[in-house]
Amino acid sequence: MRSLLWLAAVGLAVAEDGLNAWLRYARVPSASHHLGKLPSAVVTLNATQGLPVHTAGKELVDGINGLFGKKLTVGKSKGTSATVGTVGAYVDKNPSAAAGLPDLIEDGFYLKVSKGNVLILGQNERGALYGAFHYLSVIAQGNVSDFTLTSNPDAPIRWVNQWDNMQDGGTHGSVERGYGGDSIFFWDGYIRDDLTRAGQYARLLASIGINAVVANNVNANASILTPENMDGLARIADAFRPYGVQLGVSLNFAAPQLLGGLDSFDPLDKTVINWWQGIADTLYKRIPDMAGYLVKANSEGQPGPMTYNRTLADGANLFARTLQPHGGIILFRAFVYDHRSLNQTLDWKADRANAAADYFDGLDNKFEDNVAIQIKYGPIDFQVREPVSPLFAHLRKTGATVELQITQEYLGQQAHVVYLAPMWKELLDFDLRADSKPSTLKDIVAGKRFGQKLTGYAGVVNVGTNSTWLGSHLAMSNLYAYGKLAWDPELTSEGILKEWTTLTFGQDKVVHDVINKISMQSWPAYEDYSGNLGIQTLTDILLGHYGPNPGSQDGNPWGQWTRADDDTIGMDRTVWNGTGYAGQYPPEIAAMYENIETTPDNLLLWFHHVPYTQKLKSGKTVIQHFYDAHYRGSATAQTFVTLWRKLKGRIDKERYEHVLFRLVYQAGHSLVWRDSVNQFYFNKSGIPDELGRVGNHKYRIEAEAMELKGYKSYKVSPFEAASGFHCVVTETNSTVGTAKTTLKVPSGKYDLAVNYYDMALGNSTWELFVDRKLIGKWKGDLEYELGRAPSPYIDGQTATRKTFKGVKVKRGSELKIVGTPDGLEPAPIDYISVLPEGIVD
């Protein structure tokens, strides 16, 4: 590692795999010029090995050595020093200093840098470690100036949820909605023997102020509570403890029956209550500093208190009371709805969005003090745009935490770059106007608006064993931003991004400009080419939540509907004529959303059912906006590749190539999104694109129109997932297929783009020839290269593109594709585009 740091110091781009993320401690420019402004020794106050103050001292030694090449001694020094510890420990040694120290709340820290001396004091040991990480972040960005800072967290709960399963397989694999590899905690039904990555994860989280991790899936397996697995949970807690990160546990509400052998899991049954008390006591005996529980109940078929006609408060309080002797808390999810009772066809007023506020109605003052309600930011499910959940304005006595999703379940699954901080900022800054007073979401979840003490943030992260943690280097900016905003929601998206970029990639201005431009354009671009005007992410919600499938948004049992027909589209959520959802908001906001004229266009179809010809405030019709936005968004995605290529040689090759591969893929898949959604609504509405683009692709040659041998035409479902509603597949799984055509373009150089389907049923091989010359050969192995959900189908999820640039062709040249199937994957091809250089069809 030291040799790598030396190479970085002399300006070479050193290969990195992403494991250290923003804690690389890479040598800063002109490091030797700053040595006099740095401490020469580290003094830790009352440090115990394995606890955060000791860790803080070690981080300071390692960080300053890595960043500046200066080796600090440990203990008192005649020169300058960095002193780190708790306020209490410092005042014990310096009683007269107490009057000059600021007030700190739990986890807060005080940091003073003066002439090479550094004082880092935490309200507790965790706060001291946070202060050390903050100091290292500041100097890693090249700032060695004197400064004084008092920093307190905006909210006490700053948790991470991991949706890790006890074992691989099943519907969701090792990590549900995880795209960065297998679980770092569990394997084959048990806790892993090697928890090195768990400790590394805790280190990253501590550096951004996260104080607890729920390691197992909210869809919990009751076996997490076997004695052997409780021993394993204690080992996870041991790995977390040096970084001040506490362990939380997700529970299966029916565990007394599933695991305990009881005939009931009724939360008011004394036998059930005693069983759960025994579980809490046993866990805390193993893990005295356990944070508490996370519970999902009566949602998506999960068991819960309503199974016995009990209230959600009855269920939450069951666990809360077992935790109270130990100081633990429970986060009880508001994601409660019964998909079995939703019927789009029979009930115009049926609306999953209503569920949370309805189910919690009248319960605000019924919860124990150590209960917080964990509420998804919007009322449906982590869509590319949703209104803020009205439930935040309903809970005045019980604290709320906002649930954000770092893993990009509906937002490209880390195969598409989407920087989420701008979306989160928009949500946190939204004013719900409770009682006609300022009531921003950030103030509600900080406890400032209604005065609750137990409030904060819960982020669904879902890291895995991939060295990039999330499956993509750029996606880590979202984890960094989540921690920073949970600590201080007043920070700006661009400011957070700049800091992350410096710590992750260095100070090169070109690198900063490129990453800033890609990142800040990424959410608007993704919204444009996936689903806009509040229609939700038009993905396949019945399968992997990844590729385009707008038809799946209606007629499903999950309540994610658009009510699109031949003439109209959108959910009517008004009080006067619709589901009544708008009326769940405080009066000022309810009035805004009730009226189509005052509803923002970007949420129009969330709240209103309108004709495709409805005019927006821009003057465009809804359908033309769809067409234009999808073309605009996909065009923006093409620019990401060009921008990133400017960084060749400016960052290490490993990360450069990793990101480039994904951006090239995203550029191609954004076209799949664009064409699928536009074609679907063109067919449904019958209204043509005013610019004549939709369904007209002059550079394309449909595979089914080529001369086929060993290939046959195949009707794709959903139809819009193929350019001409058909693709070609090999006649059998052992037949090599050939598709060829004679080119009629003028002689010259062209970019040849092949759109094909990479199914997770094998690894087909394709070869592209022009006049018998091999232009390229590739394998269908994206299920190994990208972390996104695999699919066995020929659809918008598996559709992708391979482009060969600058190929010389002549008028009359023969273009041929040879597809070799593998396993059950029949080497499917959609079309070939022969593009003038620089043109994207």
Side-chain angles (χ1 to χ4, degrees):
M1 181 65 184
R2 297 185 191 280
S3 62
L4 292 180
L5 290 170
W6 179 83
L7 288 171
V10 296
L12 298 179
V14 180
E16 298 189 48
D17 62 6
L19 190 63
N20 289 320
W22 53 82
L23 295 179
R24 299 156 59 237
Y25 296 151
R27 193 64 52 86
V28 302
S30 305
S32 61
H33 297 171
H34 303 305
L35 299 183
K37 296 183 178 181
L38 300 169
S40 299
V42 170
V43 178
T44 55
L45 304 177
N46 293 352
T48 300
Q49 188 166 353
L51 293 181
V53 168
H54 180 270
T55 303
K58 184 178 183 301
E59 289 290 337
L60 290 167
V61 170
D62 293 345
I64 291 174
N65 185 31
L67 293 165
F68 296 95
K70 184 173 184 177
K71 295 183 179 180
L72 276 59
T73 60
V74 179
K76 291 185 177 181
S77 168
K78 293 182 180 179
T80 55
S81 63
T83 300
V84 59
T86 65
V87 170
Y90 183 71
V91 171
D92 285 346
K93 291 182 178 293
N94 307 276
S96 62
L101 296 177
D103 292 331
L104 297 177
I105 63 174
E106 185 177 2
D107 293 349
F109 63 87
Y110 171 69
L111 178 56
K112 182 177 182 179
V113 180
S114 178
K115 298 178 181 179
N117 289 298
V118 182
L119 179 62
I120 305 170
L121 300 178
Q123 186 271 346
N124 52 19
E125 287 213 19
R126 188 158 54 203
L129 177 59
Y130 293 164
F133 275 125
H134 185 86
Y135 171 66
L136 289 168
S137 173
V138 169
I139 62 175
Q141 296 171 70
N143 181 4
V144 293
S145 303
D146 293 351
F147 70 94
T148 300
L149 173 69
T150 301
S151 185
N152 286 310
D154 204 56
I157 298 173
R158 303 179 306 283
W159 285 25
V160 154
N161 294 177
Q162 284 284 135
W163 289 355
D164 291 33
N165 293 315
M166 297 295 294
Q167 55 190 16
D168 198 6
T171 303
H172 295 298
S174 181
V175 183
E176 182 173 344
R177 312 303 180 191
Y179 314 106
D182 294 327
S183 172
I184 64 174
F185 300 113
F186 308 108
W187 192 252
D188 200 23
Y190 302 97
I191 285 76
R192 288 184 181 273
D193 292 331
D194 185 355
L195 291 172
T196 302
R197 288 293 296 270
Q200 293 169 335
Y201 187 34
R203 177 175 177 251
L204 290 178
L205 295 177
S207 74
I208 53 173
I210 300 301
N211 56 11
V213 175
V214 179
N216 63 312
N217 198 344
V218 290
N219 297 314
N221 189 321
S223 68
I224 193 73
L225 299 177
T226 65
E228 182 176 358
N229 280 329
M230 285 197 280
D231 288 342
L233 290 173
R235 291 191 294 108
I236 296 175
D238 290 344
F240 286 175
R241 195 168 290 111
Y243 301 97
V245 176
Q246 294 174 267
L247 177 67
V249 180
S250 274
L251 302 178
N252 186 306
F253 205 93
Q257 189 177 78
L258 298 172
L259 184 68
L262 304 185
D263 59 5
S264 169
F265 52 88
D266 182 349
L268 300 188
D269 185 310
K270 290 289 181 64
T271 306
V272 172
I273 293 169
N274 291 337
W275 190 86
W276 278 117
Q277 188 63 64
I279 290 293
D281 294 345
T282 303
L283 279 169
Y284 275 94
K285 185 175 181 180
R286 288 170 166 83
I287 313 168
D289 58 353
M290 189 177 77
Y293 295 149
L294 171 66
V295 175
K296 173 182 178 179
N298 289 120
S299 178
E300 300 179 320
Q302 290 279 351
M306 292 190 290
T307 306
Y308 295 91
N309 294 318
R310 311 303 189 191
T311 69
L312 296 174
D314 291 332
N317 290 340
L318 162 68
F319 302 109
R321 290 167 186 146
T322 68
L323 293 170
Q324 284 168 351
H326 307 285
I329 67 172
I330 172 176
L331 300 190
F332 196 83
R333 291 182 95 220
F335 187 58
V336 178
Y337 74 98
D338 184 2
H339 68 280
R340 294 164 297 189
S341 67
L342 293 170
N343 191 305
Q344 177 181 0
T345 304
L346 299 180
D347 187 1
W348 174 256
K349 294 183 180 296
D351 191 357
R352 169 176 159 183
N354 287 339
D358 284 349
Y359 279 119
F360 281 84
D361 185 44
L363 297 179
D364 185 26
N365 63 348
K366 305 296 185 182
F367 293 96
E368 295 285 338
D369 289 343
N370 59 330
V371 176
I373 307 303
Q374 183 168 310
I375 308 170
K376 290 187 179 185
Y377 62 79
I380 294 290
D381 198 14
F382 303 125
Q383 299 299 293
V384 70
R385 184 176 294 277
E386 295 186 53
V388 170
S389 171
L391 183 58
F392 289 107
H394 290 221
L395 298 177
R396 309 296 181 92
K397 297 182 181 299
T398 303
T401 61
V402 58
E403 184 176 335
L404 304 174
Q405 195 176 47
I406 291 85
T407 190
Q408 296 166 223
E409 177 183 352
Y410 290 92
L411 304 180
Q413 299 184 359
Q414 282 92 279
H416 292 234
V417 59
V418 183
Y419 179 50
L420 296 172
M423 179 174 76
W424 296 336
K425 282 286 293 180
E426 189 172 306
L427 293 163
L428 292 170
D429 289 344
F430 185 79
D431 190 347
L432 285 157
R433 300 296 299 167
D435 302 325
S436 297
K437 296 178 181 178
S439 306
T440 59
L441 177 59
K442 63 190 174 189
D443 283 348
I444 291 173
V445 299
K448 297 175 182 176
R449 176 61 182 87
F450 301 126
Q452 308 103 318
K453 294 181 179 179
L454 202 59
T455 57
Y457 295 76
V460 182
V461 181
N462 297 354
V463 300
T465 53
N466 189 292
S467 67
T468 66
W469 295 98
L470 288 170
S472 160
H473 291 292
L474 293 187
M476 288 295 280
S477 63
N478 290 324
L479 178 54
Y480 189 83
Y482 167 70
K484 290 294 182 177
L485 287 172
W487 186 275
D488 182 2
E490 300 299 332
L491 296 174
T492 67
S493 301
E494 287 193 274
I496 294 169
L497 181 64
K498 180 180 180 181
E499 186 173 287
W500 174 81
T501 304
T502 301
L503 299 175
T504 305
F505 291 104
Q507 299 185 29
D508 187 320
K509 185 178 184 302
V510 175
V511 174
H512 274 256
D513 290 346
V514 165
I515 291 177
N516 177 274
K517 191 166 187 177
I518 290 174
S519 299
M520 295 305 294
Q521 291 182 345
S522 60
W523 174 45
Y526 190 84
E527 182 178 17
D528 273 348
Y529 66 72
S530 64
N532 35 72
L533 299 181
I535 198 61
Q536 304 180 117
T537 311
L538 294 170
T539 188
D540 193 331
I541 66 162
L542 300 177
L543 295 171
H545 296 183
Y546 181 64
N549 187 352
S552 73
Q553 300 287 320
D554 286 304
N556 65 72
W558 304 107
Q560 292 183 226
W561 305 329
T562 67
R563 292 196 180 274
D565 57 31
D566 292 351
D567 302 303
T568 55
I569 187 172
M571 285 289 293
D572 187 341
R573 290 187 162 106
T574 63
V575 174
W576 79 274
N577 187 55
T579 71
Y581 168 78
Q584 291 187 345
Y585 287 92
E588 291 179 45
I589 305 303
M592 176 178 72
Y593 289 146
E594 183 77 10
N595 186 339
I596 197 170
E597 298 300 326
T598 55
T599 300
D601 278 351
N602 61 19
L603 286 173
L604 175 71
L605 301 182
W606 183 278
F607 285 99
H608 300 280
H609 186 73
V610 301
Y612 291 107
T613 54
Q614 173 77 30
K615 287 287 184 74
L616 304 174
K617 295 175 179 63
S618 66
K620 292 183 182 181
T621 63
V622 165
I623 191 65
Q624 191 59 42
H625 178 94
F626 264 40
Y627 297 152
D628 291 348
H630 282 80
Y631 269 89
R632 180 177 64 230
S634 61
T636 300
Q638 311 308 308
T639 68
F640 294 167
V641 177
T642 305
L643 284 166
W644 188 258
R645 285 194 166 120
K646 294 179 180 179
L647 304 189
K648 187 172 185 179
R650 292 181 177 272
I651 62 174
D652 57 284
K653 182 178 179 181
E654 183 172 354
R655 290 188 295 171
Y656 172 79
E657 295 290 349
H658 176 100
V659 174
L660 178 62
F661 177 82
R662 278 155 179 75
L663 292 177
V664 169
Y665 168 82
Q666 178 178 0
H669 200 235
S670 71
L671 300 178
V672 174
W673 268 99
R674 179 197 73 188
D675 293 346
S676 295
V677 174
N678 281 346
Q679 189 66 58
F680 178 85
Y681 287 108
F682 169 60
N683 276 39
K684 185 166 280 291
S685 70
I687 301 173
D689 170 22
E690 292 173 0
L691 300 181
R693 298 160 298 184
V694 176
N696 297 314
H697 305 287
K698 64 180 181 179
Y699 300 113
R700 291 185 186 177
I701 304 169
E702 299 294 339
E704 62 271 19
M706 298 171 72
E707 181 183 335
L708 305 178
K709 182 178 180 182
Y711 266 124
K712 63 181 179 180
S713 180
Y714 174 83
K715 188 176 181 179
V716 173
S717 179
F719 72 87
E720 70 274 7
S723 180
F725 310 166
H726 292 75
C727 71
V728 299
V729 298
T730 53
E731 292 178 344
T732 72
N733 290 337
S734 60
T735 304
V736 174
T738 300
K740 62 182 181 180
T741 190
T742 299
L743 298 179
K744 300 177 182 179
V745 298
S747 300
K749 284 187 177 181
Y750 291 84
D751 296 338
L752 304 183
V754 182
N755 269 56
Y756 65 104
Y757 300 89
D758 192 341
M759 306 155 67
L761 292 173
N763 301 125
S764 299
T765 302
W766 292 266
E767 297 169 281
L768 176 65
F769 296 87
V770 172
D771 292 330
R772 300 185 180 181
K773 178 182 177 182
L774 179 65
I775 303 302
K777 179 179 179 180
W778 69 99
K779 188 177 287 290
D781 57 1
L782 287 178
E783 61 265 39
Y784 309 121
E785 298 293 327
L786 295 171
R788 54 97 167 116
S791 170
Y793 302 109
I794 295 175
D795 59 14
Q797 180 157 321
T798 57
T800 188
R801 168 176 281 216
K802 185 77 172 181
T803 302
F804 300 92
K805 292 185 173 291
V807 179
K808 290 183 179 180
V809 303
K810 299 176 182 177
R811 182 184 292 274
S813 287
E814 180 188 78
L815 183 148
K816 180 174 68 175
I817 299 180
V818 178
T820 304
D822 179 70
L824 297 178
E825 184 177 77
I829 306 169
D830 187 5
Y831 65 86
I832 298 93
S833 286
V834 182
L835 302 166
E837 289 185 289
I839 297 294
V840 176
D841 61 339

